[in-house]
Amino acid sequence: MTTPTFEMEQALIAQGYPRIAGVDEVGRGPLAGPVVAAAVILNPQDIPDGLNDSKKLTARRRRTLDEDLRARAEFAIAEASVEEIDDLNILYASHLAMERAVAALHPAPDYLLIDGNLIPKGLTLPAQAVVKGDARSVSIAAASILAKNWRDQLMVDLAQQHPGYGWETNAGYPSKQHREALQNLGVTPHHRRSFKPVHNILYQE
């Protein structure tokens, strides 16, 4: 299993880009809740050990790294709402969340490493799209951890207001419990109406 490194960042620093932000988003697949993005600038002299793609870490390890990153890195976290997801589509809403996270970093980064194969159109800084970036760059991995922890906690909080859907464990993804609750309990204001399983319930004959 490959683990992410600081090699891409080091090469960019050598080219004259000292402040490099890793950018990643979480939550494209769920039926409920916002999409969340984070932008992280690591201190090259103080990088937490064990950074990796958030999906490869236990919840406990993610929480520990989340605390480390908040104490030792520059970061910003941003969302695009369910309404924006339904209005724009999930890809553009994900990009909007990324743009907001980058815009919230002060001072601005010199260069962006963005997870995926597309650079959001609203980003004007020098940038590079990195496929499977959270497995290759520790800066992107750091962003994935902060975004996932933020979103998971948000869905735990929403689960208190809307019990029965299992959001505290499925984070809004279409688990069996979540799909059955949609049928039995109906659609909440936090559901993405443009997503087929939700749309089908709202507009079934």
Side-chain angles (χ1 to χ4, degrees), residues 178-193:
H178 191 180
R179 285 174 176 272
E180 287 175 355
L182 261 176
Q183 291 287 351
N184 298 328
L185 302 175
V187 176
T188 73
H190 303 288
H191 278 103
R192 302 173 179 180
R193 281 154 170 72

Side-chain angles (χ1 to χ4, degrees), residues 8-190:
M8 270 187 276
E9 291 87 338
Q10 282 172 323
L12 288 163
I13 290 168
Q15 291 171 40
Y17 299 104
R19 289 166 50 76
I20 297 144
V23 185
D24 199 4
E25 52 71 29
V26 171
R28 283 199 194 187
L31 304 179
V35 62
V36 176
V40 182
I41 301 174
L42 295 172
N43 177 347
Q45 276 73 51
D46 191 18
I47 299 173
D49 290 331
L51 292 174
N52 206 336
D53 174 358
S54 62
K55 298 183 289 296
K56 296 177 182 172
L57 300 168
T58 64
R60 185 176 178 180
R61 186 74 184 119
R62 280 197 303 270
R63 284 192 294 271
T64 301
L65 285 166
D66 185 275
E67 290 174 13
D68 283 351
L69 288 164
R70 287 171 179 272
R72 296 157 66 179
E74 295 175 61
F75 69 93
I77 299 169
E79 300 176 8
S81 68
V82 167
E83 292 78 14
E84 288 169 327
I85 292 167
D86 288 339
D87 287 346
L88 298 170
N89 81 35
I90 186 61
L91 175 63
Y92 285 111
S94 299
H95 285 185
L96 183 61
M98 287 182 172
E99 290 163 16
R100 287 171 174 164
V102 171
L105 286 172
H106 299 290
D110 301 308
Y111 199 99
L112 307 173
L113 292 173
I114 298 166
D115 186 57
N117 60 357
L118 295 170
I119 296 170
K121 288 188 171 66
L123 293 175
T124 55
L125 296 166
Q128 175 182 341
V130 185
V131 175
K132 293 190 173 17
D134 41 16
R136 297 171 60 193
S137 154
V138 284
S139 298
I140 296 175
S144 80
I145 291 165
L146 287 175
K148 180 159 176 56
N149 254 37
W150 177 281
R151 192 179 185 286
D152 283 357
Q153 186 55 53
L154 180 76
M155 295 309 293
V156 168
D157 295 343
L158 289 177
Q160 310 307 309
Q161 301 168 34
H162 301 276
Y165 297 89
W167 293 344
E168 66 278 10
T169 53
N170 64 42
Y173 282 86
S175 67
K176 184 170 184 283
Q177 178 188 6
H178 191 180
R179 285 174 176 272
E180 287 175 355
L182 261 176
Q183 291 287 351
N184 298 328
L185 302 175
V187 176
T188 73
H190 303 288

